[in-house]
Amino acid sequence: LLGIAAPVVAQPTASPAPRPRVHVLATGGTISNLGDAKRRTGMELVDGIAGLREMATITVEQFRNVPSGSITHDDWRGIADRIRQLQTGPDAPAGFIITHGTDTMEETAYFLSLTVGGCEPVILTGAMRPANAVGADGPANLRNAVRAAIAPASRGRGAMLLMNDEIFAARDVTKSNTTRLNAFTAPDAGVLGLADPDTVVYHRPMPAACPAPRFDLASVDAFPRVDVVY
């Protein structure tokens, strides 16, 4: 008897799920610093991390490229306005990342926590070591920021700061050291979450609803002047 081979039927392949989109607003800072006034662009930072674009669809916008001491109130407003514009536009990102210098990172984060709402997390990250230093921490911080931006558990948590595998709520965090990788702390509230090697973990429950902005920038023509005398 001659065996008759069964016909081979090609099985349809399932289309891969679309990758979530993360929008990066690059402002400069130590994470981009190469010395001698040279700085990497946000695109160069993203493209320099192997496998990063396999995690998410990443779009990059070069907002500024300066030390964070040069970030102004107008920059704060511009960042907040840009995020809110993208939130309400077509194909809104799943999350936002702001690469930023560490000297004023906590101030920018707190401002955004008051003026940007919605479900999409806003992750600020940077570096304590320049981009050309031995053991530069910027690539790991940026990679973890992407992981946090697309993590479902990050939804509705507003503006956060991620450095050295640690995630802080914007209103809790402060810079407490000028050189160490663990320069940021939250003395009263503690770390909000961790970017572990295999997952992003939060120590507090997810918000019941996505927050609305506490302040409406559309109703503010100019920020009032406030002087601080030491």
Side-chain angles (χ1 to χ4, degrees), residues 31 49 97 102 123-129 136-147 162-166 181:
I31 189 172
I49 303 174
I97 294 172
T102 61
I123 313 291
L124 284 88
T125 195
M128 294 302 297
R129 295 172 179 167
D137 54 321
N141 290 336
L142 182 52
R143 184 179 187 277
N144 282 335
V146 172
R147 295 175 59 216
L162 191 154
M163 293 282 289
N164 197 41
D165 300 341
E166 297 177 320
L181 297 187

Side-chain angles (χ1 to χ4, degrees), residues 19-21 23 57 59 86-94 96:
R19 290 190 295 266
R21 183 164 78 93
H23 191 70
T57 298
T59 51
L86 291 168
Q87 284 177 322
T88 58
D91 188 28
F96 298 89

Side-chain angles (χ1 to χ4, degrees), residues 161 166-174 184-194 203-204:
L161 189 152
E166 297 177 320
I167 306 170
F168 299 93
R171 69 174 301 118
D172 301 336
V173 68
T174 187
F184 287 87
T185 59
D188 295 326
V191 172
L192 175 64
L194 296 170
H203 301 325
R204 302 174 207 169

Side-chain angles (χ1 to χ4, degrees), residues 3-227:
I4 301 176
V8 177
V9 179
Q11 298 295 325
T13 57
S15 300
R19 290 190 295 266
R21 183 164 78 93
V22 175
H23 191 70
V24 177
L25 288 164
T27 70
T30 300
I31 189 172
S32 65
N33 191 4
L34 293 168
D36 297 328
K38 297 179 181 178
R39 295 184 181 277
R40 286 180 179 162
T41 65
M43 188 69 74
E44 289 171 336
L45 293 176
V46 169
D47 290 341
I49 303 174
L52 192 62
R53 291 190 180 276
E54 297 175 6
M55 298 168 53
T57 298
I58 301 175
T59 51
V60 182
E61 183 174 342
Q62 193 70 47
F63 186 84
R64 295 287 302 275
N65 206 349
V66 296
S68 65
S70 298
I71 295 293
T72 67
H73 294 167
D74 289 337
D75 291 330
W76 284 355
R77 184 169 196 149
I79 293 171
D81 288 344
R82 181 59 176 149
I83 291 174
R84 295 182 67 179
Q85 178 187 28
L86 291 168
Q87 284 177 322
T88 58
D91 188 28
F96 298 89
I97 294 172
I98 301 170
T99 59
H100 199 286
T102 61
D103 285 348
T104 62
M105 186 186 290
E106 65 188 82
E107 287 81 11
T108 299
Y110 185 58
F111 178 85
L112 295 176
S113 74
L114 298 175
T115 56
V116 175
C119 294
E120 301 85 358
V122 178
I123 313 291
L124 284 88
T125 195
M128 294 302 297
R129 295 172 179 167
N132 59 348
V134 175
D137 54 321
N141 290 336
L142 182 52
R143 184 179 187 277
N144 282 335
V146 172
R147 295 175 59 216
I150 63 176
S154 298
R155 302 283 288 174
R157 295 187 185 271
M160 295 175 282
L161 189 152
L162 191 154
M163 293 282 289
N164 197 41
D165 300 341
E166 297 177 320
I167 306 170
F168 299 93
R171 69 174 301 118
D172 301 336
V173 68
T174 187
K175 185 178 179 181
S176 57
N177 193 286
T178 59
T179 58
R180 303 296 181 190
L181 297 187
N182 59 341
F184 287 87
T185 59
D188 295 326
V191 172
L192 175 64
L194 296 170
D196 282 338
D198 57 339
T199 188
V200 175
V201 179
Y202 287 96
H203 301 325
R204 302 174 207 169
M206 289 182 64
C210 297
R214 298 191 183 189
F215 295 95
D216 181 11
L217 289 178
S219 63
V220 180
D221 294 329
F223 295 133
R225 172 177 167 175
V226 177
D227 294 330

